[in-house]
Amino acid sequence: MTTTTESYRVKDLGLAEAGRLRIDWAEARMPVLMALRERHSEEQPLKGQRIAGCLHVTKETAVLIRTLVAAGAEVAWSGCNPLSTQDDVAAAMAAEGIPMYAWHGMNVEEFYWAIDKTLEQKPTLTLDDGADLIFRVHDRFTGLIDGILGGTEETTTGVHRLRAMAADGALKYPVLAINDAETKWDFDNVYGTGQSSLDGILRATSVLLAGKNFVVAGHGHCGRGCALRARGAGANVYVTEVKNTAALKASLEGYSVLPMDEAAAIGDIFITATGMKDVLRKRHFEAMKDGAIVCNTGHYDVELNLPELDELAVSSRQIRENCREVTLQDGRRIYVLAEGRLVNLAAAEGHPSEVMDMSFANQIQGMVFLARKGAGLGNEVHMLPEELDQEIAGIKLAALGIKIDELTPEQAAYATAYAEGT
Ligand code: ADE
């Protein structure tokens, strides 16, 4: 049952107290966001801004939303994936007065309905994870474009999509690539994805990882994180790639690199982290061992071609939560986790609060940057200024109680002394 009024739609408002507890847990692990909240509560840099957000509704996102509100913004929100919403968190946000349109298990029509609801407030800023909101504005709500100062994009896939739009001359307002900040991709994509994806696999299956053949498709930052953590758990890690340099890195990191056509017959567990469609398709499913587990941690559910798997099936049953057993004609069974949607968010809770702390600090600072400077930026995909990265990392280090060295004046001069050589 969804609880609906004009100003929000969530699964059940009665879950709000459970959601508040979860958010409290996250707040205690997000010191950078809390420091920014304190600073921005006084300065109100987002006063007068209306933000439409389309990003996974999790306990960490709730901390982000509260911080945007504390900085003076009016915020309306939808989830960016039909299976990632934490219903108790959505309820807590709605109970706090946020126009929240998100519930776990929404269908595609409801997904776009929810985005459209957040656009009713005529946003001045957009905040995306996957670029569905920005794309919707450009496709169906072009009348809003003149009133929008800019947008932010959280994820690799969304940044690719927006760069393609910009190259085509189709992007009509400036966007900040939050993903490309060092304090985002070098932490969230690697350690966040690595841990949360394994968490999703374990919650959905409870299998032993030690000794398993664990195939990671893609050795970008997210794939690297999965490979790192699977190796740490004692699995034999195999990597597939289409890019020479990434394949070489995987090899030098000690993984076996091979084509998917060969890996298909070897793997016990497969995870895709490529951003590409059909990474696992008919001929791979046909070659898999009985009991193979397949899942995806990329943004969209296109990496596993499940319609092709279902064509090979004689039967299918939901054997555990987020785990569907598909039986093929010869009796082999393949287990599909979370229907090929982001396994870390659909079957677990997404990245831990400690890494989302830095990712979302970039979102906050990105919003403040756009509120101040957005009108002067070109309609392209921009990087956040490097100083913001260093500032965010500095606040995180201080919160962790880690001290670092400072250059002496002589060393600082040496850093730019190009005439000094041998
Ligand atoms: N993406 C990955 N993990 C997430 C989380 N915990 N919250 C929001 N977005 C995420």
Side-chain angles (χ1 to χ4, degrees), residues 55-61 80 86 129 154 188 193 196 342 344-345 349-353 356 360:
L55 189 146
H56 307 290
V57 179
T58 65
K59 58 190 184 305
E60 292 76 22
T61 300
C80 67
Q86 294 167 4
D129 184 335
E154 171 79 5
D188 167 318
T193 307
S196 62
L342 290 152
N344 60 338
L345 280 141
E349 289 177 67
H351 302 352
S353 309
M356 295 315 294
F360 286 166

Side-chain angles (χ1 to χ4, degrees), residues 382-412:
H382 301 267
M383 296 281 288
L384 277 169
E386 154 77 12
E387 311 86 76
L388 288 183
D389 243 342
Q390 291 307 327
E391 187 193 15
I392 288 168
I395 303 175
K396 189 72 169 177
L397 282 171
L400 293 169
I402 297 172
K403 298 195 182 95
I404 65 169
D405 286 328
E406 259 179 55
L407 293 180
T408 63
E410 294 74 19
Q411 287 173 320

Side-chain angles (χ1 to χ4, degrees), residues 26 29-31 60 351-359 396:
R29 284 156 188 79
M30 301 182 84
E60 292 76 22
H351 302 352
S353 309
E354 291 88 337
V355 286
M356 295 315 294
D357 189 23
M358 291 192 287
S359 307
K396 189 72 169 177

Side-chain angles (χ1 to χ4, degrees), residues 122-139:
K122 300 198 173 16
T124 55
L125 295 163
T126 62
L127 189 158
D128 255 281
D129 184 335
D132 282 330
L133 168 62
I134 293 192
F135 194 75
R136 192 79 175 161
V137 169
H138 282 69
D139 192 33

